[in-house]
Structure formats: structure tokens, C-alpha cells
Amino acid sequence: MFGLGIPEMVIILVVVVVLVTVIVLAARAGARPSTQLAWRTPGLMPPISSDLQERVRELCAEGKKIHAIKAVREGTGLGLKEAKDIVDALDAGRPVPVVDPSAPRGDLASRVRELKAAGRAEQAVFLVRGETGMTQAEAEIFVNAL
């Protein structure tokens, strides 16, 4: 079959079984792709809702910091370190960006056009970088193309 002998077929079968096993174990462990690419820039914390912030504060007050970190991870799609940093900030009383769920949000291109029309092209580049994870150069190209 395709010039493959028994040893080659066994190797292929073993590789397929190992890959399937890894995928199944990762799925069972709760692994999921990151859903928010906007906060890939190191040092930037994502805005989280005031409801989630209140829940985190309650959990910290009850001594359930691990549950608070888990809630942040589930609510934002962040990794462990970033979620822990947010929980630590909230527990220490430091401010964390807030998302206003009632605020109307247009698509990215519309918001960039509005910023450019207002003469705030630099802020438009910052917005694009924050929401897409683009580099400075890529964001500038995007903004200039609109």
C-alpha cells in the first residue's frame, strides 16, 4: 500500500494514536483557545466588567483566591499569570479597567474612522493594537488604509 511496509505503518499508527490522546487529554483538562486576542501586548490588563470585579472581591474576602482567579480566567480568556495579576490588583484595592456593557460598540473600522476624523490618529493606532494584537507598524498600515 503506497510503498509502505509494516514498520512504517506501525509508526504512523503510533503517531496518530499519540496525537489523538494528547488532544483528548487537553480537552478533558479544559484547554481552550484564547478568545481574546486584544490583550496580547505585555503589560496591558484587559478591562473586566464591574460585576466580575465585584465577584472577585467577594471571593477574595472569603479567602477563595483560587476561585477568583478561575472566575477571571473564565470571564476574560486570560492565562493564569494575567488572571492572578488582576485578582491581586483587585484584592489590594488597585484600579483595573472596567468594561461598560451598555456602551455601544461599533466595529473596529468605524471607531478608527471616527478617531481619525477627530484628528486622533495616534489613539486610533493604539486602539487597533489593543483590540487585535497587531504590531505598531501593522496597526499604522491598517489605520492609514481607512
Side-chain angles (χ1 to χ4, degrees), residues 108 111-112 115 122-132:
L108 179 60
R111 289 181 284 145
V112 168
L115 288 170
E122 189 173 309
Q123 188 172 1
V125 170
F126 182 76
L127 173 70
V128 170
R129 288 191 68 197
E131 291 202 10
T132 64

Side-chain angles (χ1 to χ4, degrees), residues 13-23:
L13 181 62
V14 168
V15 169
V16 168
V17 168
V18 168
L19 287 174
V20 168
T21 303
V22 168
I23 291 169

Side-chain angles (χ1 to χ4, degrees), residues 16 33 40 52 62 72 75 78 85 90 100 104 108 115-116 118 127 132-133 135 140 142 146:
V16 168
R40 292 288 186 222
L52 180 57
E62 296 171 6
V72 170
L78 288 175
D85 291 343
L90 289 171
D100 181 8
L108 179 60
L115 288 170
K116 279 182 63 175
L127 173 70
T132 64
T135 65
E140 287 174 356
F142 178 82
L146 294 177

